[in-house]
Amino acid sequence: MTGLHWGILATGGIAHAFTSDLRTAGLDVTAVGSRSLDSAREFAAAYDIAHAHGSYDDLVADPDVDIVYIATPHPSHVENALLALDHGKHVLVEKPFTLNEAEAAAIREKAAEKGLLAMEAMWTRYLPHMVRIREIIAAGTLGEIRVVAADHTQKISTDPAHRLNDLALGGGALLDLGIYPISFAVDVLGLPEQVSALARISDAGSDAEVATMFVHEGGALSTTVSSSRAAGADTAQVVGTEARIEIDRVWYTPTSFRVITSDGTVTEEFTSEIEGRGMQFQALAAERLVADGAISSDVLGIDETVAIMGVLDEVRRQIGVVYPGER
């Protein structure tokens, strides 16, 4: 523990989930900021937070805040993160990190200039079952990994004005949902050398379903499917020449998995037993990194975050999705 004082920027659903888990972990949430002072005060009362601010500027200027969690919709991430960094605050930026690679690089450059931690809140990577999966892979238990497959499929609103369908808000299945399995594939196999993508585009112009196939170093393949219009299994697997890992529903949240050898023998079973939703693990990692003087995560470094945004840019190029202001 570093005793960091957390500031929460925005008061939507993801901010509630994260702050609840911070409290579960006993971390210090000092301030919250919203565009509405009433909303900030209501949020502060719910989580016993000392300072409520009616603007993001006031939040990042609060001298009692050390690190800011950016919980706005992703089109605002770059502006909010740069604002916090300019005020000397470390940042944990909700995923997707930004709208595109250029915005992500701008945050990286500002953080490096200021000597501050900039970290993507890809909370899945910090969960206990994912830590164990990386250990198993590193030990060579699976042999040579040939395939990673994962999906993130949910039935969400078809309303064109819904955030997930509105291009002005960065809508689409890719950035909100596809970021999970794509980041997982990169975690296991590294960045892709070849990218192929197909999508079904909604009437609103956003991607309702996206399928990707990547070729990684050594010819290993990864496949992902994401949908905001239909709920699927939400499972994942890592397949090697000697064994495979099957991750149960919902694979990107605290869950269970098993290691199965090529002859069908189960050699390990893992079940997550945690308090809360599991978002506290990324916060604990951020506190450790700051204590160590690091400005990039050792689990998901800022360079990798920027590169993944570049992969998403290429997927969008292939499926023909462009956000306002990018033209």
Side-chain angles (χ1 to χ4, degrees):
M1 297 286 183
T2 63
L4 288 182
H5 305 303
W6 286 83
I8 309 299
L9 192 149
T11 55
I14 197 70
H16 280 275
F18 179 72
T19 304
S20 176
D21 278 354
L22 288 187
R23 286 304 195 204
T24 295
L27 301 186
D28 187 347
V29 187
T30 297
V32 59
S34 172
R35 292 173 296 180
S36 161
L37 182 57
D38 286 343
S39 179
R41 285 173 172 166
E42 182 179 348
F43 192 97
Y47 299 102
D48 192 24
I49 299 171
H51 305 296
H53 298 289
S55 74
Y56 301 150
D57 292 274
D58 287 347
L59 172 69
V60 299
D62 188 328
D64 291 335
V65 172
D66 301 312
I67 183 168
V68 174
Y69 170 65
I70 309 292
T72 47
H74 38 277
S76 299
H77 286 179
V78 64
E79 176 186 358
N80 301 150
L82 293 176
L83 178 68
L85 290 165
D86 273 330
H87 282 78
K89 314 301 186 187
H90 305 282
V91 291
L92 177 64
V93 184
E94 189 50 55
K95 46 92 208 77
F97 195 65
T98 50
L99 273 182
N100 53 48
E101 183 179 18
E103 291 183 353
I107 296 174
R108 176 180 60 186
E109 291 163 12
K110 178 65 70 173
E113 173 192 326
K114 297 289 186 178
L116 296 165
L117 175 69
M119 176 174 150
E120 182 180 2
M122 177 48 73
W123 62 294
T124 297
R125 290 224 188 173
Y126 299 87
L127 293 173
H129 74 291
M130 286 296 175
V131 173
R132 179 58 189 146
I133 286 170
R134 284 196 294 272
E135 291 172 348
I136 292 167
I137 292 170
T141 303
L142 305 187
E144 183 183 0
I145 297 174
R146 304 310 303 154
V147 175
V148 171
D151 70 289
H152 188 174
T153 50
Q154 297 188 37
K155 187 174 178 61
I156 306 177
S157 174
T158 60
D159 181 358
H162 188 279
R163 180 184 65 81
L164 214 69
N165 302 317
D166 187 351
L167 283 178
L169 296 177
L174 179 67
L175 261 62
D176 261 279
L177 309 179
I179 180 66
Y180 282 92
I182 288 174
S183 183
F184 177 56
V186 172
D187 189 18
V188 176
L189 295 174
L191 290 162
E193 297 177 346
Q194 297 178 44
V195 173
S196 299
L198 294 170
R200 186 177 71 82
I201 305 301
S202 72
D203 292 340
S206 59
D207 45 293
E209 278 95 31
V210 181
T212 69
M213 177 171 283
F214 299 158
V215 181
H216 302 259
E217 182 179 2
L221 300 178
S222 67
T223 63
T224 78
V225 177
S226 302
S227 175
S228 60
R229 301 295 176 87
D234 285 335
T235 58
Q237 59 178 326
V238 181
V239 182
T241 54
E242 302 302 322
R244 68 185 183 273
I245 296 174
E246 294 182 349
I247 314 176
D248 296 323
R249 175 177 176 87
V250 172
W251 71 266
Y252 50 86
T253 69
T255 187
S256 54
F257 71 81
R258 69 204 55 79
V259 179
I260 306 171
T261 62
S262 298
D263 66 4
T265 303
V266 176
T267 59
E268 179 174 338
E269 294 187 73
F270 182 101
T271 300
S272 296
E273 296 180 0
I274 70 166
E275 290 186 78
R277 187 171 186 243
M279 300 185 79
Q280 66 269 32
F281 295 101
Q282 62 185 346
L284 292 165
E287 294 220 352
R288 174 180 55 79
L289 291 162
V290 171
D292 292 343
I295 63 171
S296 181
S297 171
D298 50 358
V299 172
L300 175 54
I302 187 66
D303 289 342
E304 186 175 332
T305 285
V306 173
I308 289 172
M309 291 310 307
V311 172
L312 298 182
D313 285 353
E314 174 58 20
V315 171
R316 287 197 297 115
R317 187 193 69 78
Q318 292 188 22
I319 66 176
V321 171
V322 181
Y323 300 120
E326 287 189 316
R327 295 178 176 84

